[in-house]
Amino acid sequence: MVWRNQTFNLDFILLGIFDYRPTHIFLFSLVLGIFTVAFMGNTLMVLLIYLDTQLHTPMYLLLSQLSLMDLMLISTTVPKMAFNYLSGRKSISLAGCGIQIFFYVSLLGAECFLLAVMAYDRYVAICHPLRYTILMNQKFCVFMTVASWILGSLDGIIVLVAALSFPYCSSLEIHHFFCDVAALLPLSCTDTSEFENLLFICCVVMLVLPVSVIIGSYSRVLQAVIGMDSKESRCKAFTICSSHLSVVGLYYGAAMFMYMRPASNHTPDQDKVVSAFYTILTPMLNPLIYSLRNKEVSKGFQKLLRKGKL
């Protein structure tokens, strides 16, 4: 049923985000630079946390998973976009489109849940420091991390199967630089309103529920930080939490703007810019925010450089 009226030989046309004007060539080069920084930064974070035993704590385990998700997310969209731009070929097969949809949706969903787990970790560390090793033990941390990956993957499977169940018989031109579900739906020959409702429900689960956990956690954290007697403790808590809140604001702000609006309010150009922000720019900013504002990460990096492991 899923593949009725279409085959793996069906090709879509990705119209992309850039043309060959000088300004767009410069912007394309800038995106490649951002991709390089993001790829190297997130790879470095994963290796650093893996190699430095002093960073083998729940907080840094979660941070390494965030970097891994960002690394996979940016690798899902940018290489294909760059290949199409440089080669002049804009086609993508139905199978390739399905792969992009699955990984893109799965990774976005997994990050949503992981950021909520990271907020809970900071809540326990600051509000219940004496019980931290009990409430955030290694088994529980691994369980929550695996759960984030599984829930994100389930969302990806649901959206993928639903999206590819529609026959596509329009111009097959996708007004985007990758196979985004919202850009794919207008090409369907059939009514997609029920699927759009399903997509909205998935967005509510993936965005609103984790945001509620994050808001609740940081409300308690803020109360605890304000009540601290030590100025040094307050500064350290604010530094760690502000880094996480910066990432949350960048990620959820763009995602909610993209997926929590009525479909009638979307325009192709606007969707391209917003998607580029949280699929390309945010993965670059995450390791910079955490590394520049985190003394443990900076010390670990310097230590491994001296030992010649990096």
Side-chain angles (χ1 to χ4, degrees):
M1 286 297 291
V2 173
W3 300 103
R4 182 168 54 93
N5 297 331
Q6 54 195 354
T7 69
F8 277 107
N9 295 323
L10 180 66
D11 283 348
F12 295 101
I13 304 298
L14 293 173
L15 296 182
I17 193 172
F18 302 120
D19 55 35
Y20 296 97
R21 289 175 292 176
T23 304
H24 280 219
I25 293 175
F26 168 76
L27 291 175
F28 172 75
S29 302
L30 184 62
V31 166
L32 285 187
I34 292 173
F35 170 78
T36 302
V37 173
F39 189 90
M40 293 178 63
N42 285 292
T43 301
L44 186 61
M45 286 295 292
V46 173
L47 291 175
L48 175 63
I49 294 171
Y50 174 76
L51 294 173
D52 190 348
T53 55
Q54 291 186 348
L55 298 180
H56 291 180
T57 63
M59 173 183 169
Y60 292 107
L61 170 64
L62 297 173
L63 180 56
S64 70
Q65 294 302 298
L66 179 66
S67 291
L68 180 59
M69 290 175 185
D70 281 338
L71 183 62
M72 294 176 64
L73 179 61
I74 199 169
S75 298
T76 299
T77 57
V78 177
K80 178 60 177 175
M81 179 200 72
F83 174 80
N84 284 2
Y85 184 82
L86 293 173
S87 66
R89 297 177 56 191
K90 296 185 177 181
S91 63
I92 183 171
S93 66
L94 180 64
C97 192
I99 290 171
Q100 277 198 335
I101 289 174
F102 171 74
F103 280 104
Y104 172 74
V105 174
S106 298
L107 292 166
L108 287 182
E111 279 204 33
C112 286
F113 288 111
L114 187 71
L115 288 172
V117 177
M118 293 175 71
Y120 174 75
D121 172 71
R122 292 301 85 206
Y123 158 72
V124 175
I126 294 173
C127 298
H128 303 284
L130 299 179
R131 301 177 59 197
Y132 181 76
T133 55
I134 299 174
L135 296 176
M136 280 299 294
N137 59 69
Q138 186 176 7
K139 288 184 178 180
F140 180 75
C141 185
V142 171
F143 170 77
M144 295 302 293
T145 302
V146 172
S148 298
W149 281 99
I150 292 175
L151 290 172
S153 298
L154 287 175
D155 186 44
I157 292 172
I158 292 171
V159 173
L160 173 64
V161 171
L164 297 187
S165 66
F166 298 113
Y168 294 99
C169 53
S170 186
S171 64
L172 301 183
E173 292 184 345
I174 301 176
H175 290 269
H176 218 301
F177 61 92
F178 67 95
C179 277
D180 184 33
V181 178
L184 191 63
L185 292 181
L187 307 183
S188 176
C189 308
T190 58
D191 180 27
T192 61
S193 57
E194 291 186 4
F195 174 65
E196 290 178 13
N197 292 333
L198 172 65
L199 191 62
F200 180 79
I201 293 172
C202 288
C203 290
V204 170
V205 174
M206 293 295 178
L207 294 174
V208 175
L209 292 182
V211 165
S212 301
V213 173
I214 292 170
I215 292 174
S217 296
Y218 278 106
S219 297
R220 299 295 300 273
V221 166
L222 182 61
Q223 294 175 0
V225 170
I226 292 175
M228 289 180 177
D229 297 328
S230 170
K231 183 179 179 180
E232 183 180 351
S233 298
R234 284 200 302 270
C235 290
K236 183 177 180 180
F238 270 123
T239 299
I240 294 174
C241 293
S242 61
S243 298
H244 185 212
L245 286 174
S246 298
V247 172
V248 168
L250 289 171
Y251 181 81
Y252 281 103
M256 285 185 168
F257 180 82
M258 182 72 181
Y259 293 106
M260 299 298 290
R261 293 179 301 146
S264 57
N265 292 348
H266 286 247
T267 62
D269 291 338
Q270 190 180 62
D271 288 349
K272 290 178 188 179
V273 173
V274 177
S275 295
F277 180 81
Y278 69 83
T279 60
I280 300 175
L281 187 60
T282 302
M284 180 199 72
L285 293 176
N286 286 353
L288 294 179
I289 289 172
Y290 280 109
S291 61
L292 293 176
R293 306 191 63 181
N294 191 301
K295 292 181 180 179
E296 285 80 7
V297 171
S298 299
K299 289 179 181 178
F301 178 68
Q302 293 172 8
K303 183 175 68 175
L304 291 178
L305 278 180
R306 287 194 300 268
K307 292 181 177 180
K309 291 185 177 181
L310 288 178

